[in-house]
Amino acid sequence: MPTATPLAETLPSIIPYCGAPPVPDGFWSAWNGDPVLLSVFALAAVGYTAVVRRHGMAMARHQPWCFAAGWLVLFAAFVSPLCNLTSALFSARVVQHLLTIQMAAPLLVLSWPMGALRWPRWARILASPLAIPEIAWGLFGLFLWVWHLPGPYMAALRFDAVLWVMHASLLVGAVAAWRTVLAPDDAAMRGRGLLSAFGTSVHLAILAALLIFAPQPLFVYHLDTTAPWGLSALADQQLGGLIMGVIGAAVYVMVNLYALARWLMVPERQRL
């Protein structure tokens, strides 16, 4: 992983999408009122309500609850003051990412009724490789590494468009990956999905270790943003690595155990 640039060479002052780096006083009032983002949340809720009304009789009882939970997790990640805190702390950004990829994504997979939408043929063709667990998890893992490298991370802070490419790629990649485990097209694919998910958890732990044991801060933007929170930039980075390696790994274990239990409940002839 590239090393951080010395403080003297830091980029000019920037204000990320989530706002200027906050300080503890008044932090809890720093909600994200972006009308475009709030409209997307509202449209998602309305759209899913329409799906429930159309396919309600064919849906499992847990599915609307899973959507509501996933929706609330994303709301907490992008609208609550956590969004603003990501402008100050790298560790807060890690929490935001974990909420997106390890809580919201599997909940959204579990919430979606099979066959609810008839996608165009071209879309089905483009998305078909993502039904292969190794491809879905490999692409998701690539996104994880790319967006935690200093260059792409700094670009996401400087440019809103890059930031939303980051969030969209992580969420879509996570949904595609978790789908191979929680809702595969073929029940026989679930075992391959579980193995691929385990592989992702291993290299996520490697990424976490690099963040924890790096000798200096890797993200120059945070050299001047962490002090009001009682952390040095290096300590903040190490905290982010610990959250990623400990809490992130625990969530992988829990979701994978849940997926394994569902798989084992399938009749043996359907698992072969």
Side-chain angles (χ1 to χ4, degrees), residues 131-179:
I132 301 172
E134 294 82 2
I135 292 178
W137 283 99
L139 186 62
F140 172 55
L142 177 63
F143 290 152
L144 277 175
W145 277 86
V146 165
W147 293 118
H148 289 91
L149 293 174
Y153 182 88
M154 290 296 297
L157 289 173
R158 294 191 74 187
F159 305 106
D160 291 355
V162 178
L163 178 86
W164 286 114
V165 169
M166 175 182 73
H167 289 313
S169 61
L170 287 173
L171 179 59
V172 173
V175 167
W178 284 118
R179 186 176 179 276

Side-chain angles (χ1 to χ4, degrees), residues 79-98:
V79 179
S80 81
L82 174 63
C83 181
N84 189 220
L85 189 58
T86 64
S87 295
L89 301 178
F90 171 77
S91 53
R93 180 73 70 187
V94 172
V95 171
Q96 185 186 53
H97 285 171
L98 291 184

Side-chain angles (χ1 to χ4, degrees), residues 212-225:
I212 293 169
F213 296 109
Q216 59 184 339
L218 301 173
F219 308 103
V220 295
Y221 171 78
H222 291 298
L223 290 172
D224 298 318
T225 64

Side-chain angles (χ1 to χ4, degrees), residues 22-105:
V23 294
D25 291 342
F27 160 69
W28 290 108
S29 64
W31 290 75
N32 183 6
D34 181 1
V36 175
L37 179 65
L38 295 178
S39 297
V40 170
F41 273 96
L43 288 173
V46 171
Y48 190 81
T49 300
V51 170
V52 171
R53 288 179 177 175
R54 184 174 179 180
H55 301 275
M57 296 299 294
M59 294 177 66
R61 186 174 300 178
H62 71 272
Q63 288 181 309
W65 291 105
C66 285
F67 177 83
W71 189 95
L72 287 172
V73 168
L74 289 175
F75 189 89
F78 295 107
V79 179
S80 81
L82 174 63
C83 181
N84 189 220
L85 189 58
T86 64
S87 295
L89 301 178
F90 171 77
S91 53
R93 180 73 70 187
V94 172
V95 171
Q96 185 186 53
H97 285 171
L98 291 184
L99 288 174
T100 302
I101 66 178
Q102 292 192 330
M103 292 187 67

